[in-house]
Structures are given as structure tokens and as C-alpha cells.
Amino acid sequence: MLSVVWIRHTTLENRLDVSEFLAAELAGRIAGSQQGSEGRTSAAYLDQDMLDARDELMKMESPPSIFITDAGGTILSEGEQDLYEENAFPSSVLEKNSDVQTFSGLKNDMLVYLIKKPIVVDDVTFGWVVMLQPEDEFADLNDEYRLLALLIIGSGLLGWAAIYILSRRLSRPISAAAAAAKEIRNGNYGVSLIPSKAKEQEVYDLVTSFNDMAVRLEQLEAIRAELLAGVTHELKTPVTSISGLLQAVKDDVVTGDEAKEFIRISLSETERMQTMINDLLEFNTFAANALPVSTAPHELNELTKRIVHEWNLARNPEGIPVHFQAYLHDLLVLMDPDRFRQIMMNLLNNAAHAIEEKGQMTITVRNEDPCALVDVSDTGIGIPDSEQTLIFERFYRGENKKYKVRGLGLGLPFSQLLARAMGGDLELKETSPLGTTFTLKMKKQNRPPK
């Protein structure tokens, strides 16, 4: 609509300007002919070639009505059209300052544009050139409107084609993702989308993320199934042992010292089963944010050295060499010492389980702003590539550890939760067949409290 208004306004202004210019040109020619004939008005004429050029320039179908009058407005000559039937134009119209005006002095009250220019010879006005053109014809813009309509229709078709092509390219991978999501909802986690067909970056990210999610869900489903079997087995085995041992004591199958040994083994199995249940309950409690963690500044070198010494005395029956490397300066970190002890004990136990024959462990305290780091390294068998992304999943147990060490697979996930609750983190730094290193990050206390 703005384009229509703008085209109408500019075209009308241009046509009026051209008509005014041609009227002035015609008046100038008539004035020149008047001078050559010593003022005889019979020499006044209309230049048809000029009128044709004017019509061609303004692209108008019907020519204007052109009149030549004397100084008083009496019509001396007129064109072929009979638009104005009076013998003279009102003097009030000719005396107006504006050369372009609207005029309604016709019998049918038609509104026309009137363009007038004086015929001047030696500064004396001998007459007027008057042009009349109906307003509806003057503002006839059919060609311009057709061009505008073609542009709008062409732009619309081009935009529709672009939107259609783009929507097709976007809808196909989205439809495929929706169909794959239905398969996952039905329990089929083996679906996969082809990322090479997605050329748009956003669609490519969607497809690759969906594939990663499907793989992740498949892994978690396998872990869940293994969890049920593992937890059931881990809890059923001590119950079966306890039941058999106590039944033997009850039926007097064993007596005396042998019966006491059976009871001692039953109590040991009961304690181990209680430990697993406590671990499970504590993990669930902490995962639900119901287990408080309070942090305060502690010196990392001294606390780590004390925990390593405690583990070496109480939980290192095989005498694995443990090397402790403290940082050159004191490091104050924000931590809960009890939770830090839990993390370190679990990392040390895991390192000892990874060492099959002769080996050693190294605990290193480092400073790497803005964190303080504790590296727990061993010379064990390492972690396979297929298991490295799963070791922090709850209840996951690696193949090498599954049959060697009994447990629920909560040690590393619980330790990571504790580290993050204290503002730090626990990461697998590196692993190979020559050994493994876990890094515990702790938040430093830059200024000691006053």
C-alpha cells in the first residue's frame, strides 16, 4: 500500500512537471511566431509533434485539451477534444499565481487539472496556453500498477519457493528424529540418524545430539539391567552364606571351635552386607541433597599425608609401596575433612585393586590456580577405552573389577558427587595399560580467615 501511494504521488508530480514544461515551451514558440508576424494572433498555432512527444513521454492514452487564449481569456484556438465548451476562461483562473491547479468549471462537474502558461512578447502578455486533463486520466497508472503487481507476485512466488525448499530440508530430519524418538519410547534404543544428510548446522547438531542420546540411553539401560542382577547377587550371596552357616550350627553339623568359626564368618558376612546397604542408603540420601556437607579452610598437604598414612596402616595388607609428594608450600582449601577422607579412601582402594602384581602408588599434591589438585596414580592395568565414559555412572562396574572385587559400583560416582558438593570435581586424568591417574580438584582459600 505504501508503494502504491508513493508511485501515485511521484508519477502525478512528474506528469504535472512535464505538462507544465511543455506548456511553457508551447507558449514560447507562439510568442516567437507572434514577434515574427508583427503581433498578428492568426499566426498562433499548436505544434502537433510536440504534443505527440509529450504523450509518449508521459505514456498517456488520451491527449490533453489545449487552448490558446488572448490576454482576457477568450479562446482563440483549441485542440481536437471538446472538453471545455465555453468561449473563454474565467479571469480569476488565469490570474492565479499557481500555474497548476484543479478546475471544475465543466458542465458535468468533472474535476480536471488546469495548467496555464502566459504568452509574453516584450514583457507584454498577449495571451495564455491552457491545458486541461481529467484527473482520473492524469492519474492513470495502469502500467505502473501492473509492474508493481508483477514484482509482488514474483517476490511472493520466490519467497514461497524458498520457504518450501527450506521447510522440506528442515522437516525431513525432524520427522526422522520424531520417528526415532517413538522407537526409543517403545524400548528400541538401537536407532540411529544419518548426520551426513543434514547440511544446516542446527539440524546437524540435533541429529548428532540425538544419536549420542540414543547411545547413552542404550548404555544406561544395559547398566540398569546389570544393576538389578548385580545388586541382587551381591545381597543374595551373603544371605545364602549366612543361612547355610547358621543352619549347620543349628543342626549340630559343626560343634565347638568349628561352630564358633561358622558364627564368626556369619557375622563377617552380615557386616559386609550391612556396609553395602549403608553405602546404598548414603548414596541415595546424598543424591537427594539430604546429606549435609560443611566446608572450612584446611591445609591440604597435612590432611592428605595423614589420610595416606592411615590407609597404609589399616588397608594395605599386601604392602603396596605408596609415595606421597607434597606441594612446596601450604595450600589452604575449602573442604569437609570427613568427605575428603571418604574420597581419598575410595581412590586409594581402587588404585590398590587395579594393581595385579608388583606395583606402586603415587599421591601428588599440586597447585594450579584457581584450584589445588590431588593426583592419585597407580601402575595397574588401566581402564579399557569402552569403559572410560561409564566409570562415573552409578552402579557401573568394569569387567576386570566385576569378578575381582565385590561391591555395588557406587565408589567413584559417590566420590564425584562429594567433590562437586565441596566446590571441586573428580576427573579421570589419564589411563593406559601402564597405569591410571585420577585428579581431585579442590577450591582454594586464597586468604586465611582472621
Side-chain angles (χ1 to χ4, degrees), residues 255-318:
T255 58
D257 292 340
E258 192 174 7
K260 291 181 180 180
E261 180 65 17
F262 274 36
I263 293 175
R264 186 191 66 79
I265 295 174
S266 299
L267 291 175
S268 177
E269 290 292 312
T270 302
E271 182 179 356
R272 188 170 67 86
M273 184 172 63
Q274 185 177 4
T275 300
M276 287 191 294
I277 294 174
N278 287 337
D279 289 344
L280 184 60
L281 292 175
E282 189 176 30
F283 179 85
N284 289 335
T285 302
F286 189 82
N289 296 322
L291 192 65
V293 173
S294 58
T295 59
H298 293 273
E299 208 286 309
L300 185 59
N301 284 320
E302 183 62 29
L303 184 58
T304 305
K305 181 179 180 181
R306 186 166 65 248
I307 293 174
V308 171
H309 179 69
E310 177 186 342
W311 181 89
N312 203 24
L313 292 178
R315 302 191 183 187
N316 190 13
E318 299 180 0

Side-chain angles (χ1 to χ4, degrees), residues 327-345:
Y327 186 63
L328 298 177
H329 307 286
D330 291 345
L331 286 175
L332 284 178
V333 296
L334 294 173
M335 69 167 71
D336 186 327
D338 294 333
R339 302 306 176 190
F340 178 74
R341 180 181 178 278
Q342 284 182 274
I343 298 173
M344 290 299 301
M345 287 294 182

